[in-house]
């Protein structure tokens, strides 16, 4: 049983830092005894540019049977033989997962005193498992890993290369690649999903397995599109444990999303002349967003993190928009949106233009591919910073619309809000609020990584000292867009 993890690097950020992150020195081959045999960690390659760690598990089939349920007594002679002669020594993913968590336990928790910053950041990763038992085939492998930000290659392995007519085995050769994940997340994905694909644990699943699942699944399992299958298979389909785990995951999801429904402080822009009634900032924002959508000629639009559907409603009134899709993680917000739009009473033609989808932007989602534009209005600041790369990948790496509009508060402007105590963010659920420089740095790096150009625009009065209350970035996809950009430039 065999798994490799590789990363790439430069002289300044050498790939060999992987040794620090895994707490295993690249110059030494090390062996660890586990209950079922020996786990070896070695590095087939280790220099500044590329570093690969291999985990090799040498299983003792006799120990496996002795420690297993029947303690070797077995029933019929055939069954007894099958305990010894089976694929477990070569393929059992649950053994590999247990070895992974034993040998790399600190790395799984993201602990690294020698290189704390690198442990906290995403790094380029490539994971290979040459023979992975995958019940559900390559399609399930993709459904499990792709939403987490992995690029997946899962080639079925033929039963016998010389007899192609025998068809494929239920093994795949798995290659996972990502630029957006931290090593600790990657290891926790493997710890949970390898045994889920194998669907045959080598040990009795007890109640503490629920805790293990929730710990390993923190930050990615709640809301995963295959959450139920993952939970049920990880817990060896023990129904009472599965139900317990599903309930706890739902509580986590609700705690993460519920307070996002509170109304934001941003009712009105502080205008200097008090005679006219100030326009609410939310209205200015919708106008600014609509203006960008008009300029770029977008007809099919995603409103990601649509909340209670105000923008969807505004866009529906404009016949230029032929398809408007609102996406939000909060069912409660979507219910309110659906009421606001009177979806149930809408005529057929109107109803065909609009859709509301429940989904998390922290996961890639095939339903979101192929649109002209995506709007993220006041959404990014609701995600914990470490989850932002996952959203970035889902939107810019996977959905890849031609135009992306992102708005977020400008924290510098907060001193101008009279009702806001110094040093406070505008809304209890904001995980961060950025200065103009921080927003530009993030947006610039995102554009660079995914082949977009980016421009910035103020929304609301642009204060000479602290800038506007809302900042907006407009991303335009480079390659497929150049022709049109040139046309637009000529027309201007
Ligand atoms: N776009 C709206 C709402 C902003 S409030 C507006 O401009 O008024 C932020 C919204 O993002 C909330 O409705 C919240 O449920 C949603 N949200 C937060 N995290 C999300 C995630 N990971 N996936 C999808 N939606 C999310």
């Amino acid at each position: 049983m065999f798994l490799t993890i590789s990363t790439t690097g430069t002289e300044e950020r050498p790939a060999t830092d992987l040794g620090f992150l895994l707490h295993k020195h690249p110059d030494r081959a090390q062996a660890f005894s586990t209950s079922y045999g020996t786990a070896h960690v070695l590095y087939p390659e280790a220099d500044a540019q590329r570093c690969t760690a291999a985990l090799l598990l040498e299983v003792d089939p006799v120990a496996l049977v002795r420690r297993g349920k029947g303690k070797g007594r077995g029933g019929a002679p055939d069954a007894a033989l099958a305990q010894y002669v089976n694929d477990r020594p070569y393929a059992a993913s649950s053994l590999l997962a247990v070895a992974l968590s034993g040998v790399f336990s600190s790395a799984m928790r993201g602990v690294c005193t020698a290189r704390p910053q690198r442990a906290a950041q995403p790094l380029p990763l490539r994971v290979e498992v040459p023979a992975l038992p995958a019940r559900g085939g390559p399609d399930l492998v993709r459904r499990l890993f792709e939403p987490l930000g992995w690029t997946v290659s899962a080639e079925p392995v033929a039963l016998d290369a010389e007899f192609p007519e025998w068809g494929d085995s239920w093994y795949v050769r798995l290659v996972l690649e990502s630029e957006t994940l931290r090593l600790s997340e990657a290891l926790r994905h493997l710890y949970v999903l390898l045994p889920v694909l194998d669907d045959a644990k080598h040990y009795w699943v007890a109640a503490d397995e629920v805790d293990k699942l929730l710990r390993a699944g923190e930050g990615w399992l709640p809301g995963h599109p295959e959450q139920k299958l993952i939970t049920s298979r990880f817990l060896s389909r023990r129904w009472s444990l599965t139900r317990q785990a599903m309930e706890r995951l739902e509580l986590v999801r609700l705690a993460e999303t519920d307070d996002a429904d509170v109304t934001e402080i941003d009712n009105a822009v502080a205008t200097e002349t008090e005679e006219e009634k100030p326009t609410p900032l939310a209205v200015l924002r919708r106008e600014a967003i609509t203006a960008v959508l008009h300029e770029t000629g977008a007809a099919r639009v995603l409103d990601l993190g649509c909340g209670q559907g105000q923008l969807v409603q505004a866009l529906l009134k404009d016949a230029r928009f032929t398809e408007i899709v609102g996406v939000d993680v909060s069912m409660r917000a979507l219910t309110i949106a659906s009421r606001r739009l009177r979806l149930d009473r809408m005529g057929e033609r109107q109803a065909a233009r609009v859709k509301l989808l429940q989904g998390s932007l922290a996961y890639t989602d095939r339903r979101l591919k192929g649109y002209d534009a995506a709007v993220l209005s006041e959404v990014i600041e609701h995600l914990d910073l470490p989850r932002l790369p996952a959203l970035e990948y889902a939107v810019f790496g996977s959905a890849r619309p031609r135009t992306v509009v992102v708005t977020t508060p400008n924290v510098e402007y907060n001193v101008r809000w009279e009702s806001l105590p110094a040093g406070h963010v505008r809304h209890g659920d904001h995980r961060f609020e950025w200065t103009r420089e921080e927003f530009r740095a993030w947006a610039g790096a995102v554009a660079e990584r995914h082949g977009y150009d980016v421009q910035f625009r103020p929304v609301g009065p642009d204060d000479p000292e602290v800038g506007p209350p809302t900042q907006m970035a407009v991303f335009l996809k480079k390659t497929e867009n150049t022709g049109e950009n040139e046309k637009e430039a000529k027309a201007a």
Side-chain angles (χ1 to χ4, degrees):
M1 241 183 297
F2 191 60
L3 170 149
T4 61
I5 303 172
S6 313
T7 189
T8 51
T10 57
E11 293 301 328
E12 299 81 60
R13 290 163 66 83
T16 43
D17 278 355
L18 185 63
F20 287 107
L21 298 178
L22 291 172
H23 299 247
K24 300 287 171 283
H25 200 289
D27 291 347
R28 278 197 302 270
Q30 298 173 60
F32 306 84
S33 70
T34 73
S35 345
Y36 305 104
T38 312
H40 301 270
V41 178
L42 49 136
Y43 287 78
E45 55 183 347
D47 58 39
Q49 275 71 41
R50 274 193 69 81
C51 183
T52 296
L55 174 68
L56 178 85
L57 191 56
E58 231 181 339
V59 175
D60 172 358
V62 177
L64 190 57
V65 175
R66 296 238 164 93
R67 298 193 140 254
K69 295 167 216 168
K71 297 235 183 258
R73 273 179 277 120
D78 275 0
L81 185 61
Q83 292 182 328
Y84 291 93
V85 185
N86 60 37
D87 68 348
R88 297 294 88 185
Y90 314 104
S93 308
S94 62
L95 294 174
L96 193 59
V98 169
L100 203 68
S101 74
V103 174
F104 300 132
S105 63
S106 308
M108 253 176 80
R109 280 181 282 123
V111 175
C112 182
T113 33
R115 295 285 185 282
Q117 249 132 27
R118 296 228 50 190
Q121 279 164 3
L123 72 170
L125 285 171
R126 181 185 164 89
V127 174
E128 276 193 59
V129 189
L132 175 72
R135 280 167 234 257
D139 180 54
L140 181 61
V141 177
R142 278 190 284 272
R143 275 172 18 229
L144 294 181
F145 284 101
E146 277 179 354
L148 299 168
W150 292 102
T151 306
V152 177
S153 148
E155 297 275 319
V157 176
L159 264 179
D160 190 317
E162 288 191 26
F163 299 96
E165 64 277 17
W166 289 6
D168 293 329
S169 67
W170 46 280
Y171 290 82
V172 298
R173 185 188 133 77
L174 175 69
V175 181
L176 300 171
E177 288 177 304
S178 166
E179 304 263 327
T180 55
L181 295 167
R182 289 168 288 163
L183 182 65
S184 62
E185 291 174 304
L187 292 172
R188 289 187 293 114
H189 295 165
L190 296 170
Y191 171 74
V192 174
L193 296 179
L194 297 186
V196 161
L197 283 163
D198 188 7
D199 202 15
K201 282 213 168 167
H202 67 279
Y203 55 87
W204 173 243
V205 169
D208 67 343
E209 212 70 356
V210 174
D211 293 323
K212 287 188 206 161
L213 175 65
L214 290 168
R215 236 178 289 133
E218 197 188 313
W220 65 269
L221 184 55
H224 187 295
E226 297 291 346
Q227 177 182 310
K228 182 137 189 237
L229 177 140
I230 295 169
T231 306
S232 148
R233 282 197 181 187
F234 189 88
L235 299 168
S236 293
R237 299 174 203 264
R238 288 194 56 194
W239 169 237
S240 64
L241 296 183
T242 304
R243 198 180 49 203
Q244 212 185 87
M246 288 297 284
E247 278 168 13
R248 285 170 60 184
L249 286 165
E250 181 61 11
L251 287 179
V252 174
R253 204 181 61 74
L254 287 179
E256 277 176 359
T257 56
D258 223 30
D259 46 4
D261 290 337
V262 186
T263 341
E264 316 237 347
I265 307 191
D266 91 347
N267 305 324
V269 173
T271 45
E272 281 170 18
T273 49
E274 289 296 332
E275 308 93 75
E276 37 179 332
K277 233 178 157 200
T279 314
L281 183 53
V283 173
L284 295 178
R285 220 164 20 227
R286 285 199 285 280
E287 287 171 0
I289 292 166
T290 311
V292 172
L293 297 176
H294 285 168
E295 281 168 40
T296 56
R300 301 178 61 239
V301 179
L302 298 168
D303 183 9
L304 305 176
C306 63
Q308 306 181 355
Q310 291 93 335
L311 179 66
V312 173
Q313 188 178 33
L315 298 181
L316 259 176
K317 292 191 184 131
D318 188 332
R320 274 179 275 200
F321 301 110
T322 57
E323 188 182 341
I324 306 145
V325 179
V327 180
D328 206 285
V329 75
S330 158
M331 250 351 262
R332 205 169 119 203
L334 290 175
T335 308
I336 298 172
S338 148
R339 261 185 242 138
R340 172 193 302 280
L341 298 168
R342 297 170 186 270
L343 275 189
D344 51 341
R345 269 173 277 167
M346 214 176 241
E348 237 172 74
R349 279 193 44 198
Q350 198 69 338
R353 288 173 60 212
V354 60
K355 242 189 303 187
L356 295 178
L357 303 177
Q358 202 248 337
S360 170
L361 301 169
Y363 301 99
T364 59
D365 189 335
R366 286 181 197 184
R367 296 174 300 179
L368 308 186
K369 287 184 196 248
Y371 282 83
D372 298 331
V375 176
L376 285 154
S377 163
E378 309 294 286
V379 172
I380 59 171
E381 65 276 9
H382 289 269
L383 273 85
D384 285 323
L385 270 177
R387 301 294 291 153
L388 211 48
L391 173 139
E392 171 191 331
Y393 182 75
V395 175
F396 294 90
S398 169
R400 289 189 71 67
R402 203 151 42 84
T403 306
V404 183
V405 186
V406 179
T407 77
T408 194
N410 163 23
V411 73
E412 296 167 79
Y413 193 89
N414 287 2
V415 295
R416 296 283 186 270
W417 297 114
E418 278 166 16
S419 57
L420 197 65
H424 278 59
V425 294
R426 298 179 197 179
H427 180 262
D429 190 51
H430 287 182
R431 309 301 162 94
F432 60 87
E433 285 179 353
W434 275 335
T435 61
R436 283 167 290 173
E437 198 182 317
E438 285 167 327
F439 183 51
R440 277 161 193 261
W442 173 78
V446 169
E448 176 77 33
R449 278 194 285 272
H450 299 280
Y452 282 75
D453 287 315
V454 63
Q455 298 167 1
F456 299 91
R457 299 187 189 182
V459 180
D462 198 355
D463 185 288
E465 238 176 282
V466 297
T470 295
Q471 35 187 352
M472 177 159 91
V474 179
F475 298 81
L476 295 176
K477 190 155 70 177
K478 268 184 188 160
T479 42
E480 290 129 89
N481 219 31
T482 38
E484 282 172 41
N485 281 350
E486 276 161 24
K487 263 185 255 157
E488 273 169 28
K490 273 189 205 134

